[in-house]
Amino acid sequence: MNVYDSSRIADMLKKEGYEETLKQAEADIVLFNTCHIREKAAEKLFSDLGRAKLIADERAENGQRTIIGVAGCVVQAEDEQIIKRAPYVDFAVGPQMYFRIPEILHKIERTKKHQSVIDTDFPAISKFDFLPENKAQGACSYLAVQEGCNNFCTYCVVPYTRGAEYSRSVADVLTEAKRLIAGGTLEINLLGQNVNSYHGEDESGKERNLAYLLHKIAELDGLKRLRYTTSYPADMTDELITCHKDIDILMPYLHLPVQSGSDKILKAMNRRHSSSDYLKVVEKLYTANPKLKMSSDFIVGFPGETDEDFAQTLDVVNKVKYIQAFSFKYSRRPGTPAAVMENQVEEKVKKERLEILQTLLFDYQTKFNESCVGKTMPVLFEQKGRHKGQLIGRTPYMQNLHIETKDDNMNKIVDVVVCEATTNSLSGKEL
């Protein structure tokens, strides 16, 4: 979602006459778009701001002004702290108000004086109504269809920083999808903090679910691949599961966070599912599409987690056999219920458990990658590699794959024979 938001912010700035630069010393505006899911991300922001201030001071000596801004969820959660710790920041906007950045810049440019403008309101109408048209950046495009979350997991800040769930209308989504396809997009990834709770209205005013939306998008001419992320287990309906059987262009890969295998911990997290509920959903998915593979999110060391609870998480991993996963030590987020829970787990224990979990996860990931050697896979090439003549793309299972090939294959789907595999990537040769 932050990648999507960042691209939309860039679109707005381009419309105002700005151009992107890879060199910060050339930048008249330096803007950080932030995430607040983990403490490390928030602390990294202040380190980056400090470096940006040093470059801004050097530019000032040459008579060049630098405007420093911050957007995203850290602003929503810590607006006063940002200005207190980094008073040189010119403006800070929450994730729902970044459409106001051009207006704020005009104000700052008119006054020619430092101001600390903060805007963390939740608008009465959708921010999408104010954004410029989303244009394809390549063969793969993100399309936000839903934002916010109503689940209030006890460890998570999203309901406080992104707000309540909001779904865009079916018509708006389809219009944007058609525009992306016309611009060269072959793969669309539908985005939402809780994407499978999508409930946008159709033209008659009737609420439609994600399964309906997937079918409508799959009917569009020119689209070759379709994905959606991130899903909530309790919202995986039978109708949505059936999409993985019936929609040919829906990729055989699904990210479905479980967080823990312990029912006691899942209840403490305020997750609306048990481990058995989750495994039943996985079984239905595997039955609907035997080629489907899964990835997930895990939190280890949640308050009150015992060795037995952790062992139950490992048991879920062994049953599902994830081909990729994101795993983290529990990180206290200010303002969330879990931050003040008793029985906080020691950092040493969290570290040990994370190492055990990641060893198991990487083992399954490596085995799956190695099982692909010798197979022919369609790969969508999106970027150039480190070496001349090398392109990097993604398989249907979101694996990175690199080959030596001609640049003409950029932004195309090419059949590739997989020759080698590591834990994190594949290599191959063009058929």
Side-chain angles (χ1 to χ4, degrees):
M1 184 64 80
N2 272 27
V3 171
Y4 176 86
D5 285 346
S6 295
S7 68
R8 304 314 306 277
I9 292 171
D11 289 340
M12 289 190 299
L13 294 177
K14 288 174 184 175
K15 196 173 181 181
E16 295 296 317
Y18 291 95
E19 296 179 3
E20 289 187 68
T21 176
L22 298 177
K23 297 179 180 179
Q24 200 171 124
E26 296 177 349
D28 300 303
I29 300 172
V30 179
L31 178 60
F32 296 93
N33 192 24
T34 62
C35 175
H36 199 252
I37 291 294
R38 302 183 68 222
E39 183 179 7
K40 187 178 292 185
E43 287 304 313
K44 186 175 185 296
L45 166 66
F46 291 104
S47 296
D48 289 340
L49 284 172
R51 285 189 285 271
K53 175 64 164 58
L54 292 175
I55 295 174
D57 289 344
E58 292 177 2
R59 282 171 49 85
E61 293 177 0
N62 297 319
Q64 297 172 297
R65 187 184 183 193
T66 306
I67 297 172
I68 299 177
V70 184
C73 292
V74 171
V75 178
Q76 200 71 38
E78 302 186 25
D79 52 351
E80 294 181 1
Q81 283 296 312
I82 289 175
I83 301 303
K84 184 177 180 180
R85 293 179 61 177
Y88 47 83
V89 168
D90 292 283
F91 70 91
V93 295
Q96 303 303 330
M97 297 302 290
Y98 68 70
F99 66 86
R100 286 199 59 228
I101 289 175
E103 176 188 339
I104 292 170
L105 287 175
H106 288 315
K107 182 178 179 181
I108 292 173
E109 289 164 353
R110 281 197 307 271
T111 60
K112 300 188 182 300
K113 294 181 180 179
H114 171 72
Q115 298 181 51
S116 295
V117 180
I118 302 177
D119 195 336
T120 56
D121 290 341
F122 286 102
I125 51 181
S126 168
K127 71 181 182 186
F128 295 101
D129 295 337
F130 299 94
L131 298 178
E133 292 184 351
N134 186 18
K135 296 180 180 178
Q137 303 294 320
C140 178
S141 293
Y142 293 116
L143 202 172
V145 301
Q146 181 271 341
E147 272 205 84
C149 185
N150 297 343
N151 289 319
F152 289 91
C153 298
T154 56
Y155 54 82
C156 186
V157 296
V158 167
Y160 311 102
T161 59
R162 289 276 181 174
E165 290 180 359
Y166 165 81
S167 295
R168 300 174 67 186
S169 71
V170 173
D172 282 352
V173 172
L174 290 178
T175 296
E176 187 167 330
K178 290 175 184 176
R179 187 166 58 244
L180 292 171
I181 295 168
T185 290
L186 300 178
E187 174 182 303
I188 289 178
N189 194 336
L190 304 182
L191 299 181
Q193 267 81 34
N194 188 15
V195 71
N196 57 339
S197 72
Y198 174 84
H199 56 276
E201 294 184 351
D202 65 13
E203 292 184 350
S204 69
K206 182 179 180 179
E207 279 196 357
R208 297 292 188 173
N209 59 22
L210 183 62
Y212 176 88
L213 187 65
L214 288 171
H215 277 286
K216 297 297 287 186
I217 294 175
E219 294 171 359
L220 300 178
D221 290 338
L223 188 64
K224 304 298 183 184
R225 290 182 168 188
L226 184 58
R227 304 181 189 272
Y228 62 93
T229 194
T230 291
S231 299
Y232 189 76
D235 293 327
M236 286 298 302
T237 64
D238 288 344
E239 187 180 2
L240 181 56
I241 290 170
T242 302
C243 289
H244 289 272
K245 174 184 177 182
D246 295 341
I247 300 177
D248 290 340
I249 67 169
L250 187 59
M251 292 293 96
Y253 171 90
L254 180 64
H255 184 68
L256 191 64
V258 64
Q259 305 300 358
S260 173
S262 162
D263 287 348
K264 182 191 83 177
I265 296 301
L266 289 171
K267 184 176 181 180
M269 289 177 167
N270 196 36
R271 302 283 287 180
R272 294 187 291 109
H273 64 86
S274 65
S275 59
S276 62
D277 293 335
Y278 181 89
L279 291 171
K280 286 176 184 176
V281 169
V282 172
E283 184 180 2
K284 287 182 179 181
L285 284 161
Y286 284 169
T287 300
N289 185 353
K291 294 181 180 180
L292 184 74
K293 301 297 179 182
M294 306 278 292
S295 66
S296 193
D297 292 343
F298 294 90
I299 295 173
V300 300
F302 188 82
E305 183 187 70
T306 63
D307 288 343
E308 182 181 355
D309 296 320
F310 177 63
Q312 290 168 359
T313 295
L314 299 179
D315 184 54
V316 168
V317 174
N318 284 321
K319 287 177 178 176
V320 180
K321 298 177 172 58
Y322 301 98
I323 65 167
Q324 292 181 33
F326 299 98
S327 52
F328 307 97
K329 294 180 292 184
Y330 167 70
S331 174
R332 286 190 182 188
R333 308 315 296 127
T336 60
V340 293
M341 284 183 178
E342 296 180 352
N343 299 317
Q344 296 285 331
V345 177
E346 293 181 7
E347 194 66 26
K348 179 183 176 182
V349 175
K350 288 194 283 188
K351 182 179 179 182
E352 290 173 350
R353 289 177 182 169
L354 183 63
E355 289 175 352
I356 293 170
L357 174 62
Q358 289 184 338
T359 297
L360 182 61
L361 290 169
F362 288 147
D363 183 50
Y364 279 116
Q365 182 173 323
T366 302
K367 285 179 179 177
F368 177 72
N369 286 352
E370 289 175 345
S371 74
C372 295
V373 173
K375 294 180 179 179
T376 299
M377 306 182 80
V379 179
L380 175 56
F381 288 102
E382 300 176 77
Q383 59 182 329
K384 293 184 178 181
R386 281 182 271 179
H387 311 300
K388 187 175 181 180
Q390 186 183 69
L391 294 183
I392 300 175
R394 282 183 295 133
T395 73
Y397 296 101
M398 293 291 278
Q399 300 151 295
N400 284 327
L401 184 147
H402 58 86
I403 64 170
E404 306 295 326
T405 185
K406 55 184 182 292
D407 288 348
D408 289 350
N409 282 330
M410 179 73 79
N411 295 322
K412 292 181 181 177
I413 297 174
V414 179
D415 285 334
V416 174
V417 177
V418 180
C419 300
E420 295 182 19
T422 67
T423 299
N424 295 313
S425 66
L426 307 174
S427 62
K429 61 182 179 180
E430 187 179 351
L431 273 183

